[in-house]
Amino acid sequence: MGRIKKKGTSGAAKNYITRTRAVKKLQISLPDFRRLCIFKGIYPREPRNKRKVAKGSTSATTFYYTRDIQYLLHEPLLNKFREHKAVAKKIARALGRGETGDAARLEKTHIPKIKLDHIIKERYPTFVDALRDLDDALSMLFLFAELPSTPHVPAKTIALCQRLVHEFQHYVIVSHSLKKSFLSIKGIYYQATIQGQDILWLVPYRFVQRTGGDIDFRIMGTFVEFYTTLLGFVNFRLYTSLGLVYPPKFDAKSDEQGGELGAFKLEGKAISGEDTHMMNGDEQPVIASAEAQAEADKVAALTGPDDQEEGSAAAPAEEDENTDAIDTFEATAQDADVLPQPQASNSELGSLFTPFTFFLSRETPRAPLEFILKAFGCRRVGWDSTLGDGAFTTDESDPTITHQIVDRPALPTDSLPQVPDVPETENGGAAIPKAQWPRSTMPGRTYVQPQWVWDSINQGKLLRPDLYAPGAELPPHLSPWVKPKKGQYDPNLPLEAQEPEGEAEAFEDEEEESEDEAPATASKDEKDLSHLDREGSVEAGEGMDVGGSEDDSDEEDESEAADEDWDGIESEAESDISEGEAARRQHQRELEAEATGKTVESEAPTTRSKNAEIRKKVEKKRRAEQEEKERQKMMLSQKKRKLLDRIEHGTNKRDKEAEALRKKKRRIEKAKAAANAL
């Protein structure tokens, strides 16, 4: 006879462990257990069969993998947590005795400091692994960098998050790693490509944040503690890869005055070995790391003198050819596959705003605009002095400014408040013009709205500034990560280019029918109201039940239904008049007019008749295609037919959504045309 197995000692019950048992096994408190699991990346697991794991119990229980808990038994942080608990007991005892000095001394000297360096190395063996997990870290740190200081979120934590995210932004600016950005309801999305990894993070808008009481800041603070350590390691590796000194110099006075990015001063060593400082408006040098320079020296040593001569001889020929333009691939046939077009290089995108000098008006968001403009090559960004320190210029009338970003329309001069006259300064006898938007503009300067910056970087080219002029209706701002598919609605294309044949005519007929039905509906409502008025004043013989009235009403309903059916048949018969019948009737009218000596003009086809003919042809074509599809489906097996029905259901649903959006846009365009006509 075999040995009897005890229940819950093997299988799924052995692979999982409850949270209560895990806490007892590790001999720590529940908050410390949660904190340790966040640091180590261990999360609860949901077993397939809870009854087997919980030994028949169905109560709500949190489970973990047993091997994960076994892994935590050897974690050095366990000793730190226990030491912290012991010191906390001593501090509480000292405070109970009234020995505040001893309590302060214990807190200052005996509280153990927790370092997460070894956990970062364990969880991310390679640097690419850390970059792949950087999305959530950046989103969380940018969020805490915008939060106000509260007892749950100390100012020290907020300052640390701000410093780390600004250092990361400086790397993105210097390396031109930023690729796309999008303005959404949640905030501003950014995507950067660093060492082949696409990193996407979200930055909230700078509104007044009101934190509710249902937020567990202890859990979020644990994540922030881990993410700050992670981003510190990543920033150090990124800066050293470019030959920059980390951490960069920080000007606390400039930061207090709102300098933000301008409060950091990057330092690095160029290839020549001289120290290089980069600030707002300075030229950015070519920086290379020691490893990259060593590899370049090896390649140069391997190249022989003959190769160098051949390269020098071929250089003029290559310079004559213009290789700046990007080749475009065109399809050989109309129905051929769309060839993927080459994209602009990083150097071209990074120098998109290099030749320009921007000035940000007071109403524009300075922080995201400064970051994006500098990330795409602009080295001269100015703004009003009220927006903070670190601007290239605070003078709005600076003649070197080529573009000014404004976010309010131009108003009539009479509606603006009066300002005191300021004497204009003269330079060599000529008065310097003062530009104060929206009272006056500078000649030769381009005024655009902030969306122009985002749309230009997403499309990789400078868009027409007149479409983004102050007060102009802006084009749709679409997500750069969502590409329109065939059959879907595309706001950038005109309706004529994406609507199927006959849809515009059907829309016009629907609008005319709705206009015609409006007075009829009103008259019907009047009849109903008159009937209600008559019911209010009951005369003799009214409001009484008469025998056989129900039968009479039924007969009347049947007769009305028959009349409606007959009217429908007549309307269909009239609408289905063939072209030959219409020609015969026209010929009959001409003969009658000739007999009576009158002249008759041929009836010009109305718009409704034209639309009816077009819709009739489209419907006939659609019916033929549907019949052909049904014939083809008959040859398929039942399994493939069901799969095809599911595909067609999704396609029809997508087409209906696109049709509804096109109708909405057509109504908006019609309303705009009517408003412009007035």
Side-chain angles (χ1 to χ4, degrees):
M1 182 177 178
R3 187 175 180 181
I4 299 175
K5 274 190 178 181
K6 191 176 180 181
K7 187 177 181 180
T9 57
S10 63
K14 188 178 180 180
N15 295 334
Y16 293 91
I17 185 174
T18 62
R19 186 180 65 183
T20 305
R21 289 178 55 196
V23 171
K24 289 182 179 179
K25 192 171 186 177
L26 296 175
Q27 298 180 5
I28 56 176
S29 62
L30 182 58
D32 289 341
F33 175 75
R34 289 173 177 165
R35 191 180 180 191
L36 183 61
C37 288
I38 292 174
F39 289 156
K40 300 291 288 186
I42 295 174
Y43 300 99
R45 305 294 178 176
E46 186 70 18
R48 293 183 179 179
N49 194 334
K50 270 194 172 184
R51 294 179 64 89
K52 290 183 178 180
V53 175
K55 301 178 182 179
S57 176
T58 57
S59 60
T61 310
T62 305
F63 293 96
Y64 290 85
Y65 281 144
T66 306
R67 61 189 180 195
D68 290 342
I69 304 303
Q70 291 289 129
Y71 178 64
L72 290 179
L73 287 173
H74 308 284
E75 176 57 41
L77 288 181
L78 284 176
N79 295 329
K80 295 289 184 180
F81 290 157
R82 292 163 183 158
E83 292 176 7
H84 187 280
K85 187 176 181 180
V87 175
K89 287 183 179 179
K90 293 180 181 179
I91 294 175
R93 190 182 301 114
L95 291 175
R97 295 174 180 174
E99 300 172 353
T100 56
D102 292 345
R105 178 182 57 81
L106 289 172
E107 185 177 3
K108 183 177 180 181
T109 59
H110 288 73
I111 289 290
K113 295 182 180 180
I114 297 177
K115 293 185 178 181
L116 305 178
D117 300 354
H118 66 284
I119 295 182
I120 299 296
K121 296 177 182 178
E122 288 177 3
R123 291 186 61 176
Y124 307 108
T126 62
F127 185 62
V128 176
D129 296 332
L131 292 178
R132 289 172 182 168
D133 202 21
L134 206 59
D135 298 355
D136 295 337
L138 288 174
S139 299
M140 179 71 78
L141 296 183
F142 271 101
L143 172 63
F144 269 74
E146 302 297 335
L147 288 179
S149 177
T150 60
H152 302 287
V153 186
K156 186 177 180 181
T157 301
I158 297 174
L160 177 61
C161 294
Q162 291 176 350
R163 182 179 65 83
L164 290 173
V165 297
H166 287 155
E167 290 173 357
F168 180 78
Q169 285 181 329
H170 270 293
Y171 169 79
V172 173
I173 291 172
V174 174
S175 61
H176 302 297
S177 302
L178 190 64
K179 300 302 177 186
K180 298 175 183 178
S181 182
F182 176 61
L183 300 168
S184 70
I185 299 176
K186 297 179 181 180
I188 305 177
Y189 284 92
Y190 297 96
Q191 182 184 7
T193 303
I194 300 176
Q195 298 188 9
Q197 301 298 322
D198 292 334
I199 302 173
L200 180 68
W201 70 94
L202 175 65
V203 179
Y205 294 113
R206 292 195 170 181
F207 298 138
V208 178
Q209 302 286 345
R210 296 181 180 178
T211 56
D214 56 343
I215 302 175
D216 192 349
F217 282 99
R218 176 182 289 184
I219 300 297
M220 297 183 68
T222 305
F223 277 103
V224 169
E225 184 179 358
F226 175 75
Y227 286 150
T228 50
T229 309
L230 171 62
L231 189 57
F233 273 90
V234 171
N235 285 346
F236 172 76
R237 181 68 178 269
L238 293 177
Y239 271 61
T240 53
S241 65
L242 291 181
L244 298 174
V245 177
Y246 185 83
K249 286 188 177 180
F250 177 69
D251 189 356
K253 184 177 180 181
S254 177
D255 186 66
E256 291 175 358
Q257 297 175 358
E260 297 185 0
L261 287 175
F264 292 85
K265 185 177 182 181
L266 303 185
E267 295 181 351
K269 289 185 177 296
I271 297 177
S272 59
E274 300 178 357
D275 292 339
T276 307
H277 304 279
M278 287 171 287
M279 295 292 290
N280 187 10
D282 296 340
E283 295 292 333
Q284 297 183 1
V286 179
I287 302 173
S289 61
E291 293 83 357
Q293 183 62 29
E295 293 294 333
D297 294 340
K298 291 180 181 179
V299 174
L302 293 175
T303 306
D306 298 337
D307 298 338
Q308 294 179 358
E309 293 178 0
E310 292 177 0
S312 60
E318 293 177 356
E319 291 177 357
D320 295 337
E321 298 178 1
N322 186 11
T323 57
D324 296 338
I326 301 177
D327 297 334
T328 57
F329 303 124
E330 298 180 358
T332 55
Q334 185 176 1
D335 299 334
D337 295 336
V338 179
L339 299 176
Q341 300 297 328
Q343 299 179 353
S345 61
N346 294 339
S347 59
E348 293 176 354
L349 291 177
S351 59
L352 188 64
F353 300 131
T354 300
F356 307 132
T357 301
F358 285 85
F359 188 86
L360 311 179
S361 298
R362 290 178 296 173
E363 70 277 3
T364 58
R366 173 210 151 183
L369 284 173
E370 179 190 5
F371 171 57
I372 289 179
L373 292 174
K374 290 183 177 180
F376 282 86
C378 182
R379 298 166 188 160
R380 300 174 298 275
V381 183
W383 51 79
D384 194 84
S385 58
T386 57
L387 295 180
D389 190 22
F392 171 73
T393 178
T394 57
D395 185 10
E396 189 176 347
S397 59
D398 191 339
T400 61
I401 299 173
T402 60
H403 291 71
Q404 184 168 346
I405 302 177
V406 297
D407 202 10
R408 50 182 172 175
L411 300 176
T413 309
D414 301 336
S415 62
L416 297 174
Q418 298 293 332
V419 293
D421 296 335
V422 179
E424 296 181 350
T425 59
E426 295 185 357
N427 185 9
I432 300 176
K434 293 292 183 181
Q436 297 292 334
W437 177 265
R439 293 181 175 83
S440 61
T441 59
M442 285 286 289
R445 183 181 299 181
T446 304
Y447 291 84
V448 291
Q449 298 188 47
Q451 186 179 328
W452 178 78
V453 178
W454 271 271
D455 291 349
S456 296
I457 66 172
N458 289 337
Q459 298 189 23
K461 61 181 180 180
L462 297 175
L463 301 179
R464 290 171 49 188
D466 58 313
L467 300 177
Y468 300 85
E473 184 176 355
L474 296 173
H477 180 60
L478 306 177
S479 173
W481 299 284
V482 178
K483 301 300 180 183
K485 299 180 182 178
K486 184 179 180 181
Q488 290 183 347
Y489 173 72
D490 188 1
N492 290 327
L493 295 178
L495 289 174
E496 294 77 8
Q498 54 182 328
E499 63 184 359
E501 186 180 0
E503 185 177 286
E505 291 78 8
F507 176 81
E508 293 178 2
D509 291 347
E510 288 178 4
E511 291 293 321
E512 292 177 1
E513 290 176 1
S514 62
E515 292 175 359
D516 296 341
E517 289 176 0
T521 306
S523 61
K524 185 178 179 182
D525 295 340
E526 292 175 1
K527 291 180 181 179
D528 295 340
L529 291 173
S530 63
H531 179 65
L532 292 174
D533 293 339
R534 291 180 65 247
E535 286 181 354
S537 57
V538 181
E539 297 180 1
E542 292 185 357
M544 297 182 182
D545 295 335
V546 182
S549 61
E550 294 180 0
D551 299 337
D552 296 340
S553 62
D554 293 341
E555 292 177 359
E556 290 177 359
D557 294 341
E558 292 177 359
S559 62
E560 289 178 0
D563 293 340
E564 289 177 0
D565 296 342
W566 177 253
D567 292 341
I569 294 173
E570 282 185 354
S571 62
E572 290 180 2
E574 291 178 359
S575 62
D576 292 340
I577 295 176
S578 63
E579 297 180 359
E581 181 66 18
R584 188 187 66 77
R585 291 184 181 184
Q586 178 67 16
H587 182 63
Q588 182 67 23
R589 284 192 292 268
E590 290 177 356
L591 293 176
E592 293 176 357
E594 186 178 357
T596 56
K598 297 180 181 180
T599 58
V600 62
E601 296 179 357
S602 60
E603 294 183 356
T606 60
T607 306
R608 182 171 292 186
S609 62
K610 290 181 180 179
N611 293 344
E613 292 178 3
I614 295 174
R615 286 191 289 108
K616 204 179 298 181
K617 293 179 181 178
V618 172
E619 184 65 22
K620 184 178 180 181
K621 182 179 179 182
R622 188 192 64 79
R623 197 181 299 115
E625 292 178 353
Q626 187 66 23
E627 292 175 356
E628 181 63 24
K629 285 183 179 180
E630 292 295 332
R631 283 195 294 268
Q632 293 178 358
K633 286 171 64 175
M634 292 173 62
M635 306 299 294
L636 299 175
S637 62
Q638 185 177 3
K639 184 178 180 180
K640 293 183 178 180
R641 198 180 306 155
K642 289 183 179 180
L643 179 60
L644 184 60
D645 291 340
R646 292 174 61 186
I647 295 174
E648 289 180 351
H649 175 73
T651 304
N652 295 334
K653 184 178 179 181
R654 181 198 63 193
D655 294 343
K656 288 181 181 179
E657 293 176 354
E659 183 181 358
L661 291 173
R662 288 195 295 268
K663 286 183 179 180
K664 184 178 180 181
K665 185 175 182 179
R666 189 172 290 279
R667 291 193 188 94
I668 294 173
E669 290 181 352
K670 188 176 180 180
K672 288 181 182 178
N676 294 333
L678 296 176

